Amino acid sequence: MEKTKKYAWVMDALSKTPLPVKLRAMKKFLAGEKEYLPEKKTNADMDAIIKCSLCPNMCKFDCPVLEAEKNEALSPSAKMRIAYFIEKGLIGSEDSFELMYKCCSCDACRQWCPFEFSVGDILKGVRADIVEENKTPEKILEIKEKLEKNHIMDEKSFEVRGSRKGEILYFMGCVVQSKRKEIGEAMIKIFDMAGEEYAVMEEEWCCGAPLYNLGFINEFKEFAKHNVEKIKESECKVMICSCPTCAYIFKQIYPQFGFKIKAKIMHSSEYLFDIIQNKKIEVGSVEKECVYHDPCTLARKLGIEKEPREVLRNVGIILKEAYFNKKDTKCCGHGGQLSRTNPDIAEKIAENRIKELAEVAKCIVTACPSCKTAFENWEVYDLSEVVLMGMIE
Ligand code: SF4
Ligand code: SF4
């Protein structure tokens, strides 16, 4: 009743409007959706892009890219407005395309969003459309070409000559294989000391996250196909990943493309928590004050916050909490390929996060090889390294 009263003026105005005007208004209303959407079917979620473009954009205060660059065009909603014009074919400058890669896919916007949107996720569809239109910026194409040639990001510097079959398969990930071999070495020692029969792949390819993230969907599927076959060949029951992004891609993105893995997928923090609880290893000798940095993918996309903290307490670490922690963590800058697409922005984001962490403790512990790389000029350890330090033989 109240509603009818509120809109009574509309009925009044309509009844007084001449028929040709009424018909024109009705036609425009019905054609509206068509006019506002691109003619072609898009990979990008247009409904989300339009809603996000019209939003007051309050999530921008938590966007690390905007915080680092102080440029409103890089706020989540502004990126979506530009994405809208790209999808409608109204703009197509190189600058506008490059802007679509200035996001570390950290999901901080999702934390605030009334629609639970992640601009990082929406951008993946926009990038897939850019790929289909052959408009991909040169430096982005180079990342794909390098990956197709080497099958891992960056040069390999660490290899394990272990068994190819076993109950446990250790999936190292590109960053461990190229830059963070100390994490791989720690995990192998822990497996040995826990008496595990573990396997490693003869030819471990990237999980495909960079390809998926940058919109190269066909290439991503090739990588997924290769990995699923190799995982099956290993006959493993559990696959352990040092990198949260690998675990997330295997768990949540492969099935979306029809690639199913039978084995249980665990992040190393879950595995370490498990073997400590089940007394497969004994720990407890590290007395060090450390702050734990929650990797975005681990805390937000996989919801793993408790296990790493429990591991640290068991190891003897005096655990300090950052002001922005757990799901409210701040990105290290290396998410979403930002350190490769826009290294200058990634570096500023890392500096901002280090400042926050350094206020709490001198030593940082994290659970992601990319986060460790972002903080490499600081005293920083992966969870696996701390467990190894604290093991009682
Ligand atoms: S991500 Fe959500 S809160 Fe942020 S601008 Fe878009 S619609 Fe608004
Ligand atoms: S995912 Fe992160 S970097 Fe990207 S727009 Fe959202 S808050 Fe900004």
Side-chain angles (χ1 to χ4, degrees):
M1 188 62 200
E2 271 305 298
K3 227 177 181 178
T4 324
K5 233 160 96 187
K6 194 172 159 194
Y7 293 111
W9 66 272
V10 179
M11 304 312 290
D12 191 40
L14 267 178
S15 66
K16 287 177 189 155
T17 310
L19 188 64
V21 179
K22 256 190 248 178
L23 288 174
R24 207 172 64 225
M26 190 60 81
K27 214 169 133 197
K28 283 213 157 203
F29 177 75
L30 292 173
E33 193 173 81
K34 220 169 132 205
E35 268 178 37
Y36 284 111
L37 292 175
E39 281 167 20
K40 271 175 49 181
K41 196 176 175 302
T42 59
N43 290 294
D45 181 344
M46 288 310 298
D47 185 54
I49 290 181
I50 293 171
K51 284 188 182 124
C52 194
S53 304
L54 300 172
C55 172
N57 196 15
M58 293 311 281
C59 68
K60 72 178 180 180
F61 295 106
D62 212 13
C63 174
V65 171
L66 178 61
E67 190 186 7
E69 289 297 277
K70 307 198 175 12
N71 171 358
E72 272 294 322
L74 298 177
S75 75
S77 176
K79 281 192 281 241
M80 289 297 93
R81 284 171 208 149
I82 293 163
Y84 177 75
F85 288 121
I86 290 176
E87 293 289 351
K88 277 287 280 177
L90 297 171
I91 52 171
S93 66
E94 232 174 270
D95 284 1
S96 64
F97 292 136
E98 279 178 5
L99 210 127
M100 297 297 99
Y101 301 87
K102 293 186 178 177
C103 165
C104 53
S105 206
C106 68
D107 273 11
C109 40
R110 197 198 295 275
Q111 291 298 106
W112 299 95
C113 182
F115 304 108
E116 293 198 13
F117 288 156
S118 161
V119 166
D121 282 351
I122 303 172
L123 281 170
K124 292 177 177 78
V126 179
R127 294 166 188 161
D129 287 327
I130 294 175
V131 169
E132 275 184 11
E133 294 284 321
N134 287 326
K135 302 266 174 59
T136 315
E138 203 48 47
K139 64 178 177 186
I140 307 295
L141 275 177
E142 280 168 17
I143 298 173
K144 180 202 73 148
E145 282 157 12
K146 205 167 146 192
L147 201 44
E148 280 183 310
K149 189 168 158 249
N150 299 336
H151 298 134
I152 67 159
M153 295 300 306
D154 305 311
E155 294 304 312
K156 196 182 254 194
S157 67
F158 176 62
E159 219 162 346
V160 183
R161 288 186 214 287
S163 165
R164 302 294 173 222
K165 286 186 184 181
E167 289 258 315
I168 286 179
L169 178 69
Y170 176 43
F171 191 90
M172 288 172 260
C174 297
V175 184
V176 168
Q177 288 187 82
S178 57
K179 293 182 180 156
R180 299 268 70 95
K181 68 174 191 171
E182 67 279 13
I183 297 176
E185 283 166 351
M187 285 301 291
I188 297 296
K189 281 186 194 145
I190 294 169
F191 289 140
D192 284 336
M193 290 169 90
E196 306 280 23
E197 279 183 21
Y198 67 91
V200 282
M201 285 184 189
E202 190 176 355
E203 206 187 339
E204 185 192 295
W205 287 17
C206 169
C207 67
L211 296 167
Y212 168 68
N213 190 32
L214 299 176
F216 300 107
I217 302 304
N218 291 335
E219 294 80 355
F220 167 70
K221 287 185 196 162
E222 272 175 44
F223 274 61
K225 190 169 171 272
H226 169 93
N227 283 327
V228 167
E229 274 167 20
K230 293 285 162 193
I231 295 163
K232 201 172 162 204
E233 275 171 27
S234 78
E235 295 171 10
C236 68
K237 293 211 169 64
V238 181
M239 178 161 75
I240 295 157
C241 305
S242 277
C243 172
T245 300
C246 299
Y248 167 70
I249 291 280
F250 289 136
K251 262 189 184 180
Q252 295 186 20
I253 308 299
Y254 273 29
Q256 288 177 22
F257 288 87
F259 295 101
K260 299 215 167 67
I261 298 170
K262 270 199 189 149
K264 181 180 177 186
I265 298 151
M266 289 177 104
H267 177 252
S268 53
S269 60
E270 295 174 286
Y271 168 74
L272 294 169
F273 175 62
D274 196 55
I275 56 171
I276 291 171
Q277 270 211 322
N278 291 321
K279 308 219 177 306
K280 279 194 164 182
I281 55 168
E282 211 185 315
V283 287
S285 61
V286 185
E287 277 177 34
K288 201 171 170 62
E289 196 176 90
C290 296
V291 56
Y292 175 65
H293 163 78
D294 290 88
C296 310
T297 304
L298 195 65
R300 289 191 181 130
K301 296 191 205 274
L302 292 171
I304 299 174
E305 308 167 344
K306 184 190 95 181
E307 291 83 347
R309 288 175 168 80
E310 283 302 314
V311 169
L312 290 174
R313 284 193 194 101
N314 275 286
V315 167
I317 293 281
I318 304 149
L319 180 62
K320 296 283 169 182
E321 289 290 352
Y323 183 77
F324 295 103
N325 67 0
K326 301 178 181 169
K327 281 198 168 58
D328 294 327
T329 186
K330 289 264 188 173
C331 185
C332 71
H334 279 223
Q337 301 306 305
L338 196 73
S339 60
R340 293 189 172 93
T341 59
N342 292 279
D344 46 339
I345 305 180
E347 209 173 297
K348 283 186 218 164
I349 297 176
E351 276 168 23
N352 287 343
R353 182 58 172 161
I354 286 174
K355 256 185 240 159
E356 287 162 0
L357 296 170
E359 277 176 20
V360 184
K362 278 195 193 127
C363 166
I364 304 167
V365 182
T366 187
C368 168
S370 291
C371 296
K372 188 180 175 195
T373 307
F375 305 147
E376 67 188 347
N377 296 328
W378 205 256
E379 187 185 353
V380 55
Y381 302 100
D382 183 78
L383 200 60
S384 54
E385 293 174 276
V386 180
V387 168
L388 188 65
M389 274 184 232
M391 269 168 78
I392 302 160
E393 288 179 58

